[in-house]
Amino acid sequence: MTIQSPEVEVRAPRSLHGVGVTSGLAAGAWLGAAEAPTKLVAAGLTPFIVSLGMVAGVFVARWTVPVMLRGTHSLASDLKARPHLIVWAILAGMLWAVANTLTVFAIRDVGLSIAFPLWNTNSLIGLFWGWLLFNELRGSETKDWAKVLGGAGAIVIGACLLAYATQHSSATIAEGARTRGILAALGAGVLWGTMYIPYRKAYISGMNPLSFVTVFTVGELGTTLPLALIYQGGVGGLQTELSRAMPSLFWLFLGGFCWVLGDLFQQYAAKYIGIGRGIPLSNTNQLWGLAWGALVFGELAALSTEARMLVVGGSLVMIAGAVAIGLAEAPASEQASWRLAMERECRRYGLDPVEVAAAVGGEEATETASGRRPWWEFLIVAGALAIFVWLGLNASSPAIAMDYHWMAVLSAFSLVFLAVGGMVLWRRTRFS
């Protein structure tokens, strides 16, 4: 007699699609804001010091925010149930660290407004991996394929327009720097697009995003620190550069904290609507990067009218492509293909398919204690706050021109996205 495995119930995708879309848009706002502090390279800091400063801030925030939201017991239980994902999280962090360092070089050489859309080609890489490895788009209707592939094509066209726009700014950007900046931004896009493989692998296995990023940051710091040591001349050289950069470290830590908020939203988008849809949607950070670069730092002021039109037009084309992809909601037939990928992970690692299906559907049973929290959780949060206060007391205003009015406006909009995105995630999933 043949015994059939129980059918795993999968929630209808519409409600989760809304959660994923909201998370993707909130991710765009905070990922865009996080790149603004990297403009400090214009104040004389080396890209490796900027990257190390941001990653250190990321490390502090990625241990603090999950502890505040879920507690150490819940995080430990999640990692204990899925230990095979620890190495994947570390690998993802390593890819992120190298890509982030490349973005600093790109911003230094071609500016934030131009570098941003070039590395956002990561959505094309992520779309490919999602289709190949995780059955995304499998079973979709023709109209859904048209939205996704049409959006992907728009992203490529937009990136080409923005790259071409640099040809009109040779008066302000040297030829060698322009080439380096474009290659660095595109290289970051490839690495970030590949980084989403561990993301999706974790979430179809039922891991909570807050647990994943806690281990993820070990790979980030473990990669960025050796890079800084090698290229800054060892421990002595690194100490000298960090001492010189002390007045700017607060802003870099703040950028890392903003990045963590954006990346957490991006993780939830990847979990609930897949990397093929969630990542392009989070790439609306291009609009925010353009706004910060143009309005706060005045990056477009020296460009010709034609170059400005190419930058703005290319950005709009890329965003239109990302929106088309994000609105291509997965039909029931594609959801069935996602379920096959989930069941494959369950068989491979001996996971309970019913429990994993509940976690994938935003119904993970939280084990956060309702009573008192252990003392070390308060110590972790207090330690993080103390680091930021100490750096803030030693901070000084960056030696670069900024429009503080527009900075306040963009910061206020980012806070609105944080509030709305956080509320939607809490009400629908309790940050599952």
Side-chain angles (χ1 to χ4, degrees):
M1 181 177 64
T2 302
I3 300 176
Q4 296 185 6
S5 60
E7 187 72 17
V8 178
E9 181 181 357
V10 178
R11 177 175 293 272
R14 182 167 299 276
S15 60
L16 292 180
H17 183 80
V19 172
V21 169
T22 302
S23 299
L25 292 174
W30 283 91
L31 291 175
E35 289 298 332
T38 59
K39 282 291 296 181
L40 290 169
V41 293
L45 301 182
T46 70
F48 293 103
I49 293 298
V50 173
S51 183
L52 180 60
M54 282 194 69
V55 169
V58 166
F59 184 86
V60 171
R62 275 189 167 146
W63 278 91
T64 306
V65 175
V67 167
M68 291 173 62
L69 294 178
R70 283 174 58 87
T72 53
H73 177 69
S74 180
L75 298 176
S77 297
D78 201 4
L79 294 174
K80 183 178 179 180
R82 302 167 181 86
H84 65 282
L85 292 172
I86 293 177
V87 66
W88 286 98
I90 293 175
L91 175 61
M94 295 172 68
L95 291 172
W96 185 95
V98 177
N100 186 66
T101 303
L102 289 175
T103 65
V104 180
F105 279 100
I107 292 171
R108 182 195 65 182
D109 291 336
V110 296
L112 188 62
S113 301
I114 293 170
F116 233 124
L118 292 177
W119 73 59
N120 272 354
T121 53
N122 64 350
S123 60
L124 299 176
I125 308 298
L127 192 156
F128 171 74
W129 290 125
W131 167 81
L132 181 66
L133 301 178
F134 305 111
N135 295 347
E136 295 184 13
L137 287 176
R138 306 282 177 90
S140 290
E141 299 178 2
T142 303
K143 63 179 182 180
D144 296 310
W145 276 92
K147 288 179 182 178
V148 174
L149 295 180
I155 290 174
V156 172
I157 293 172
C160 291
L161 287 174
L162 282 150
Y164 180 72
T166 65
Q167 303 298 319
H168 294 262
S169 56
S170 57
T172 56
I173 302 177
E175 181 68 30
R178 181 169 62 243
T179 302
R180 288 195 308 269
I182 292 174
L183 291 177
L186 291 175
V190 171
L191 292 176
W192 268 333
T194 304
M195 176 190 71
Y196 299 128
I197 295 176
Y199 277 36
R200 191 60 170 154
K201 187 177 181 68
Y203 302 142
I204 64 172
S205 299
M207 176 171 271
N208 188 285
L210 294 171
S211 304
F212 183 78
V213 300
T214 304
V215 182
F216 183 98
T217 191
V218 175
E220 291 175 312
L221 189 60
T223 301
T224 305
L225 182 57
L227 286 174
L229 286 171
I230 292 171
Y231 288 96
Q232 297 300 150
V235 176
L238 181 59
Q239 288 179 335
T240 300
E241 287 296 321
L242 286 175
S243 298
R244 190 170 69 88
M246 179 59 70
S248 301
L249 287 182
F250 171 78
W251 305 106
L252 296 179
F253 264 66
L254 184 61
F257 181 80
C258 292
W259 186 280
V260 167
L261 294 179
D263 188 55
L264 282 174
F265 280 119
Q266 184 176 237
Q267 301 266 355
Y268 280 110
K271 175 177 180 177
Y272 290 126
I273 58 177
I275 57 178
R277 292 171 172 84
I279 301 309
L281 199 59
S282 68
N283 279 357
T284 53
N285 63 354
Q286 162 57 23
L287 285 179
W288 294 91
L290 180 65
W292 281 93
L295 300 177
V296 177
F297 300 114
E299 286 189 352
L300 302 187
L303 298 183
S304 66
T305 301
E306 182 183 3
R308 293 184 193 181
M309 291 178 63
L310 285 172
V311 169
V312 174
S315 299
L316 293 176
V317 170
M318 289 190 72
I319 296 308
V323 169
I325 295 173
L327 294 180
E329 184 174 352
S333 55
E334 184 181 349
Q335 289 283 322
S337 296
W338 290 12
R339 184 178 62 194
L340 293 176
M342 182 198 73
E343 292 173 347
R344 178 193 65 201
E345 296 296 302
C346 290
R347 290 191 302 269
R348 179 176 295 170
Y349 299 107
L351 303 174
D352 182 351
V354 176
E355 179 184 340
V356 170
V360 171
E363 298 178 349
E364 178 186 12
T366 178
E367 299 182 30
T368 304
S370 58
R372 290 186 176 181
R373 291 211 177 203
W375 61 268
W376 58 80
E377 293 185 6
F378 294 97
L379 184 62
I380 291 173
V381 175
L385 290 175
I387 291 174
F388 273 92
V389 170
W390 175 66
L391 291 174
L393 293 175
N394 290 279
S396 63
S397 298
I400 55 178
M402 293 184 291
D403 189 315
Y404 291 97
H405 170 75
W406 278 112
M407 179 183 292
V409 171
L410 293 176
S411 298
F413 274 111
S414 297
L415 290 174
V416 170
F417 275 88
L418 175 64
V420 173
M423 181 178 62
V424 169
L425 277 170
W426 170 252
R427 287 182 174 179
R428 177 60 182 85
T429 73
R430 292 297 191 267
F431 298 111
S432 170

